[in-house]
Amino acid sequence: MIWPAVWFVWTCMFAVAETIALVNRREGDTLSETVRALFHTRTSKAGRAVFAVGWTGFSVWFAVHILTETM
Protein backbone atom coordinates (compact mmCIF):
# COMPACT_ATOMS: atom_id res chain seq x y z
CA MET A 1 0.00 0.00 0.00
CA ILE A 2 2.90 2.37 -0.56
CA TRP A 3 1.63 3.66 -3.92
CA PRO A 4 -1.14 5.89 -2.54
CA ALA A 5 1.47 7.55 -0.32
CA VAL A 6 3.85 7.96 -3.27
CA TRP A 7 1.15 9.60 -5.40
CA PHE A 8 0.13 11.84 -2.50
CA VAL A 9 3.71 12.99 -1.91
CA TRP A 10 4.25 13.55 -5.66
CA THR A 11 1.05 15.62 -5.86
CA CYS A 12 2.08 17.70 -2.85
CA MET A 13 5.56 18.29 -4.31
CA PHE A 14 4.03 19.36 -7.62
CA ALA A 15 1.60 21.70 -5.84
CA VAL A 16 4.44 23.34 -3.91
CA ALA A 17 6.62 23.73 -7.02
CA GLU A 18 3.77 25.15 -9.11
CA THR A 19 2.75 27.54 -6.32
CA ILE A 20 6.31 28.83 -6.03
CA ALA A 21 6.43 29.28 -9.81
CA LEU A 22 3.13 31.17 -9.80
CA VAL A 23 4.09 33.41 -6.89
CA ASN A 24 7.55 34.40 -8.17
CA ARG A 25 6.11 35.43 -11.57
CA ARG A 26 9.27 34.51 -13.46
CA GLU A 27 8.56 33.63 -17.04
CA GLY A 28 8.88 30.02 -18.15
CA ASP A 29 8.76 28.14 -14.87
CA THR A 30 5.13 27.02 -14.57
CA LEU A 31 3.90 23.74 -16.01
CA SER A 32 1.74 25.57 -18.55
CA GLU A 33 4.62 27.73 -19.76
CA THR A 34 6.90 24.72 -20.01
CA VAL A 35 4.35 22.76 -22.05
CA ARG A 36 3.77 25.74 -24.36
CA ALA A 37 7.53 26.03 -24.93
CA LEU A 38 7.95 22.29 -25.45
CA PHE A 39 5.25 22.13 -28.12
CA HIS A 40 5.88 25.65 -29.54
CA THR A 41 2.15 26.34 -29.28
CA ARG A 42 2.58 30.09 -29.78
CA THR A 43 4.56 29.81 -33.01
CA SER A 44 3.79 26.47 -34.63
CA LYS A 45 0.49 25.19 -35.97
CA ALA A 46 2.03 21.72 -36.07
CA GLY A 47 3.03 22.03 -32.41
CA ARG A 48 -0.48 23.12 -31.50
CA ALA A 49 -1.92 20.18 -33.42
CA VAL A 50 0.45 17.65 -31.84
CA PHE A 51 -0.38 18.96 -28.38
CA ALA A 52 -4.14 18.98 -29.06
CA VAL A 53 -4.14 15.43 -30.43
CA GLY A 54 -1.91 14.16 -27.62
CA TRP A 55 -3.92 15.86 -24.87
CA THR A 56 -7.24 14.71 -26.33
CA GLY A 57 -5.96 11.17 -26.77
CA PHE A 58 -4.65 11.04 -23.21
CA SER A 59 -7.87 12.51 -21.81
CA VAL A 60 -10.04 9.98 -23.63
CA TRP A 61 -7.80 7.07 -22.65
CA PHE A 62 -7.69 8.17 -19.00
CA ALA A 63 -11.47 8.61 -18.78
CA VAL A 64 -12.05 5.14 -20.27
CA HIS A 65 -9.32 3.69 -18.03
CA ILE A 66 -10.88 5.13 -14.86
CA LEU A 67 -14.51 4.44 -15.74
CA THR A 68 -14.12 0.91 -17.07
CA GLU A 69 -11.11 -0.20 -14.99
CA THR A 70 -9.41 -1.54 -18.12
CA MET A 71 -6.20 -0.92 -20.07
Side-chain angles (χ1 to χ4, degrees), residues 48-59:
R48 291 174 70 117
V50 168
F51 173 77
V53 169
W55 185 260
T56 302
F58 171 77
S59 297

Side-chain angles (χ1 to χ4, degrees), residues 27-44:
E27 193 167 320
D29 58 355
T30 65
L31 176 61
S32 297
E33 293 167 328
T34 302
V35 170
R36 287 184 193 112
L38 179 66
F39 287 95
H40 304 284
T41 59
R42 292 183 178 155
T43 59
S44 169

Side-chain angles (χ1 to χ4, degrees), residues 1-69:
M1 295 299 298
I2 192 165
W3 286 108
V6 170
W7 285 113
F8 178 76
V9 170
W10 181 89
T11 301
C12 290
M13 289 172 43
F14 169 78
V16 168
E18 188 72 3
T19 300
I20 290 169
L22 289 168
V23 169
N24 73 24
R25 296 186 178 196
R26 275 185 254 155
E27 193 167 320
D29 58 355
T30 65
L31 176 61
S32 297
E33 293 167 328
T34 302
V35 170
R36 287 184 193 112
L38 179 66
F39 287 95
H40 304 284
T41 59
R42 292 183 178 155
T43 59
S44 169
K45 288 184 180 181
R48 291 174 70 117
V50 168
F51 173 77
V53 169
W55 185 260
T56 302
F58 171 77
S59 297
V60 169
W61 168 81
F62 194 64
V64 170
H65 172 68
I66 294 299
L67 297 173
T68 64
E69 300 182 25

